[in-house]
Amino acid sequence: MPENDPWEYSLYIPNDPRAVTVCRRTLRLILTMHGLIRMVDLAELLATELVSNAVRHTKGPAALRVRWSGCGVLRLGAWDADPSPPEPPQPFDRAADREDGRGLALVRACADVWGWQPLAREGNRGEYVWCELGVA
């Protein structure tokens, strides 16, 4: 049974493609330990897309943030050091034959809501792309 108390985890990662797998496996463990096993597969898919974009499209470090509201909402987000907005999601039919460019379209299609926001901290700029899933 999912917990009613809110919690949050942040995993800071280097700009390394292997970090995507580390994030996915860490997320699985977090959700399993908090009794949210029913959300694992979809959450892993969405977090993989968010973190992959952060690693692929920037040169600096990134982070995965996982937050449980306590009210049935799971927020997944990826921070990176590039302050420019993400490319708008393309419809799946336009990206069907491509190897890339479908990540945010997949997030938009599978998440209850998604968005992004610019971030600035201690003179550093970046962006935070997030999505939310509700417990069904």
Side-chain angles (χ1 to χ4, degrees):
M1 170 157 253
E3 297 177 17
N4 291 328
D5 294 331
W7 48 259
E8 182 174 326
Y9 292 86
S10 293
L11 177 62
Y12 295 92
I13 59 172
N15 189 288
D16 183 330
R18 294 173 291 192
V20 177
T21 300
V22 171
C23 287
R24 188 173 53 245
R25 290 181 179 170
T26 302
L27 177 62
R28 176 173 285 274
L29 180 60
I30 290 168
L31 296 179
T32 300
M33 296 304 295
H34 283 283
L36 297 168
I37 192 71
R38 292 185 357 215
M39 299 181 86
V40 167
D41 292 334
L42 182 54
E44 276 186 327
L45 174 68
L46 298 177
T48 296
E49 294 301 331
L50 296 175
V51 173
S52 293
N53 284 343
V55 170
R56 183 179 305 126
H57 298 297
T58 66
K59 293 183 180 0
L64 171 68
R65 180 179 289 164
V66 183
R67 185 175 68 189
W68 175 250
S69 69
C71 300
V73 176
L74 180 70
R75 177 177 274 206
L76 306 169
W79 167 85
D80 64 55
D82 182 358
S84 52
E87 292 292 322
Q90 297 295 315
F92 281 117
D93 57 347
R94 290 190 198 162
D97 296 331
R98 296 177 50 195
E99 288 293 317
D100 63 352
R102 294 178 291 206
L104 283 181
L106 188 61
V107 171
R108 180 177 65 184
C110 296
D112 294 332
V113 64
W114 80 279
W116 80 278
Q117 61 194 69
L119 295 177
R121 184 175 177 191
E122 298 175 7
N124 298 319
R125 296 175 55 201
E127 70 176 346
Y128 180 63
V129 182
W130 55 269
C131 65
E132 291 183 347
L133 299 172
V135 174

